[in-house]
Amino acid sequence: MFTTALVQREKNQPGALPLDLFAAIKNLKKELNAVILAHYYQEPDIQDIADFIGDSLQLAKAAANTNADVIVFAGVHFMAETAKILNPDKMVLLPDLSAGCSLADSCPPKEFGAFKAAHPNHLVVSYINCSAEIKAMSDIICTSSNAVKIVQQIPENVPIIFAPDRNLGRYVMEQTDRDLVLWQGSCIVHETFSEKKIVQLKIAHPEAEAIAHPECEPPVLRHASFIGSTAALLKYCQESLTKEFIVATEPGIIHQMQKAAPQKHFIPAPPINNCNCNECPFMRLNTLEKLYLAMKNRAPEITMSEEIRLAALRPIQRMLEMSV
């Protein structure tokens, strides 16, 4: 259940769609003075039509700096919420309201409030993959790109709660040598990668480097020669002399990797089961058709109370200030 009010002024009934959705979306962008922000995990067509593609930190910065009147967020719910928190006077559209996040859902506000109360005097650092209510209970927000940098700037005598991702929290603890109190949340995609199958891939492809997102579990991270955010993984692949990579994160990023380094080979890390579990089912709910309909109908639109927005804004602003 989403934690903000969501206003859908018109139902997005498919009806007759334009033959050229790319051209129709470009026309609507001009009409609305809209910007399309897309996460790396979106389908290739959405990535190709987007004005800006990035990871959570890059998208937060893009949302904070846009001059558009309408932000169309091709991502998941907490990302669109973040854009609205930063832009209260702009219309923020999310193509599919069901595009949630298993990690954000693993940290319910009521339970987290009790957890926070049980650890008084702790500074709360929350991963951006959380609801507006959790952000409002936090002191600083972080992303996988800057989590280590953020924690390193906090005095060592200040105890820290890190939420909601326990795997990213463990990684930050290792990198900073800090003892963090971890909320036990996780991402269904990044917990599904098979260590055994990655080892088998490394044997089959001895020249390949395994690279991984820090949301992955420790057994997977142990086999990675590089660990970083989606943006950092993309940059590493471009700069590395290696020609083949086993990529342990949502495989949507591979579209950008192949565009940036067409001469290289990228292998998506396989899940434990024979399924598409390495693809985020929430990210993939957004389609080019739904994006067009959202712009055409000016709905679904993200809204929230001003009290929650202002409380959530403060820790996001601290993150942006500490990430310079």
Side-chain angles (χ1 to χ4, degrees):
M1 178 176 174
F2 294 134
T3 53
T4 56
L6 294 146
V7 179
Q8 187 167 355
R9 289 201 288 266
E10 297 177 35
K11 291 184 178 178
N12 284 356
Q13 299 298 335
L17 292 169
L19 291 177
D20 189 341
L21 279 172
F22 285 93
I25 289 169
K26 287 179 181 177
N27 288 336
L28 282 169
K29 267 182 19 180
K30 292 179 183 177
E31 179 185 328
L32 298 173
N33 186 28
V35 64
I36 300 173
L37 306 181
H39 194 273
Y40 287 125
Y41 297 165
Q42 292 293 286
E43 65 174 39
D45 279 349
I46 290 179
Q47 292 188 40
D48 290 342
I49 197 68
D51 297 294
F52 186 87
I53 308 165
D55 63 6
S56 295
L57 178 59
Q58 292 172 323
L59 291 171
K61 288 180 176 179
N65 295 324
T66 184
N67 292 319
D69 296 319
V70 177
I71 299 172
V72 186
F73 216 113
V76 292
H77 189 263
F78 77 81
M79 296 177 179
E81 274 190 332
T82 302
K84 187 63 178 180
I85 291 165
L86 291 163
N87 296 278
D89 298 326
K90 299 183 188 297
M91 175 181 285
V92 178
L93 303 174
L94 181 67
D96 193 317
L97 294 186
S98 300
C101 172
S102 60
L103 178 54
D105 290 345
S106 73
C107 191
K110 183 177 179 181
E111 286 82 347
F112 185 71
F115 182 80
K116 180 181 174 182
H119 298 85
N121 304 318
H122 281 60
L123 192 78
V124 179
V125 178
S126 292
Y127 189 24
I128 200 168
N129 299 37
C130 64
S131 68
E133 279 85 351
I134 298 301
K135 289 181 175 70
M137 295 187 213
S138 306
D139 296 293
I140 309 171
I141 299 302
C142 72
T143 71
S144 54
S145 294
N146 63 20
V148 170
K149 182 178 180 179
I150 294 288
V151 170
Q152 285 175 332
Q153 294 177 65
I154 298 169
E156 292 186 6
N157 63 335
V158 176
I160 300 171
I161 291 173
F162 189 92
D165 191 86
R166 64 191 177 205
N167 291 320
L168 178 58
R170 278 195 291 254
Y171 175 75
V172 172
M173 288 173 68
E174 291 174 1
Q175 298 300 306
T176 62
D177 199 28
R178 295 289 293 269
D179 185 19
L180 309 179
V181 178
L182 304 180
W183 175 267
Q184 295 298 307
S186 63
C187 165
I188 56 172
V189 171
H190 288 97
E191 284 206 322
T192 195
F193 296 117
S194 166
E195 180 191 16
K196 179 180 178 181
K197 291 181 180 179
I198 288 173
V199 171
Q200 290 172 339
L201 275 176
K202 291 184 76 172
I203 293 170
H205 301 267
E207 301 300 317
E209 274 191 83
I211 59 176
H213 193 281
E215 284 183 40
C216 294
E217 293 192 300
V220 170
L221 295 182
R222 281 198 291 270
H223 296 283
S225 57
F226 181 79
I227 300 167
S229 68
T230 43
L233 296 177
L234 176 60
K235 182 180 179 183
Y236 182 79
C237 289
Q238 290 177 263
E239 296 177 350
S240 173
L241 297 177
T242 301
K243 299 298 183 183
E244 194 168 33
F245 298 89
I246 299 164
V247 183
T249 190
E250 215 279 355
I253 184 64
I254 291 177
H255 180 60
Q256 293 301 318
M257 290 176 171
Q258 289 176 331
K259 288 172 70 173
Q263 75 282 11
K264 298 184 180 182
H265 183 216
F266 302 96
I267 307 166
I272 295 169
N273 300 314
N274 294 322
C275 61
N276 290 329
C277 308
N278 58 347
E279 294 184 358
C280 176
F282 302 107
M283 286 281 188
R284 299 309 169 102
L285 287 174
N286 295 315
T287 64
L288 200 62
E289 292 79 5
K290 290 177 184 176
L291 191 147
Y292 163 77
L293 289 169
M295 296 176 73
K296 177 176 179 288
N297 297 332
R298 280 63 159 173
E301 181 183 358
I302 302 292
T303 66
M304 68 187 68
S305 74
E306 186 66 359
E307 180 183 5
I308 288 292
R309 190 193 72 80
L310 288 173
L313 177 62
R314 285 188 287 271
I316 294 173
Q317 288 176 325
R318 289 196 70 185
M319 174 189 75
L320 295 173
E321 291 164 2
M322 296 171 76
S323 301
V324 176

